[in-house]
Amino acid sequence: DLHGTHVVITAGGTREPIDAVRVIANRSTGKQGYAIATEAVARGAKVTLISTSDLPTPFGVNLVQVETAQQMMDAVNTEAKSADVVVMAAAVADVRPVHAAMHKLKKDPLTGLICDLGSIELEATPDILAGLGKCKPAGQVLVGFAAETENLVANAQSKLERKGADLIVANDVSQAGVGFAHATNAVTLVARGTEPVEVALADKRSIARSILNAVVAIRSARTN
């Protein structure tokens, strides 16, 4: 049911350099994004996977390797122009150092603290999902993710409207077996004009199937 479509998927957590060895990062492993890519190929899609992860590339997937939020945004903006579906499953770091040191910042031998670390100036990373929502081509389905620890549905509905997405995949990462690093996940699918759909704890390929079922339903509703 995705035959002939181009699906762009992001996966993993971006890493923003502090110096030559240290980064600002998050807990995302990319497992859910890779499961979505695998499922999309199985359903006939042409899949471009933009990833920071070192997981094995799924069969039939075109991999674009990136590291930082800026690199991910540049790759997504290039690929999204021809995409029928964009799934932003990656966890993009919220901030980055304004200036990354080209060398390793050394520790003070007396205090054990990293010299100059306290003076690192941070800035917000680009909001990739919001940017995609503002310039979304006609007919494209845009999917965002929301990792939450409270007010799951309310936060997902707010994100749906603010980012211009068609579907938000929300999960409560404070729950056992849910979210980062786990082989399983449980999500709530929040789409425009429909009631939220809860998907119970399952392996991430099964979760991917539910997400793409929702994408297909959105596409079908537009053609009927």
Side-chain angles (χ1 to χ4, degrees):
D1 52 11
L2 289 174
H3 178 73
T5 64
H6 180 201
V7 179
V8 173
I9 301 163
T10 65
T14 65
R15 297 183 290 273
E16 312 303 323
I18 296 173
D19 62 12
V21 298
R22 300 178 180 91
V23 297
I24 295 174
N26 56 61
R27 299 180 185 275
S28 178
T29 61
K31 289 181 179 179
Q32 186 64 77
Y34 276 61
I36 297 169
T38 301
E39 177 67 16
V41 168
R43 295 167 80 146
K46 170 190 172 184
V47 177
T48 301
L49 178 62
I50 301 169
S51 174
T52 67
S53 176
D54 58 1
L55 293 170
T57 305
F59 178 79
V61 167
N62 175 39
L63 178 69
V64 178
Q65 197 77 45
V66 297
E67 180 174 0
T68 67
Q70 185 64 49
Q71 291 170 353
M72 180 166 284
M73 184 179 73
D74 292 343
V76 169
N77 287 344
T78 296
E79 296 294 338
K81 294 174 184 177
S82 65
D84 301 291
V85 180
V86 179
V87 182
M88 286 294 300
V92 180
D94 296 302
V95 296
R96 64 188 175 195
V98 174
H99 303 290
M102 300 303 294
H103 60 281
K104 179 183 177 182
L105 298 176
K106 303 299 291 184
K107 290 183 179 180
D108 186 302
L110 296 178
T111 66
L113 299 176
I114 299 173
C115 299
D116 299 324
L117 188 59
S119 63
I120 293 177
E121 183 181 358
L122 300 177
E123 64 181 0
T125 57
D127 190 330
I128 303 174
L129 181 62
L132 292 170
K134 288 178 181 178
C135 60
K136 183 173 60 175
Q140 186 182 84
V141 176
L142 179 60
V143 181
F145 275 62
E148 304 288 350
T149 56
E150 58 185 3
N151 300 325
L152 185 70
V153 172
N155 286 334
Q157 288 174 331
S158 174
K159 189 169 188 176
L160 183 76
E161 297 302 325
R162 288 184 291 107
K163 308 296 185 180
D166 300 293
L167 174 69
I168 294 293
V169 181
N171 56 0
D172 184 346
V173 294
S174 68
Q175 299 298 311
V178 176
F180 304 134
H182 298 291
T184 55
N185 206 355
V187 301
T188 299
L189 305 177
V190 179
R192 297 179 182 277
T194 63
E195 290 297 314
V197 176
E198 293 185 9
V199 183
L201 190 71
D203 64 273
K204 288 189 171 177
R205 179 67 183 271
S206 296
I207 298 297
R209 191 171 297 118
S210 294
I211 293 168
L212 291 180
N213 285 346
V215 168
V216 169
I218 292 170
R219 285 171 52 83
S220 296
R222 290 176 177 175
T223 58
N224 292 337

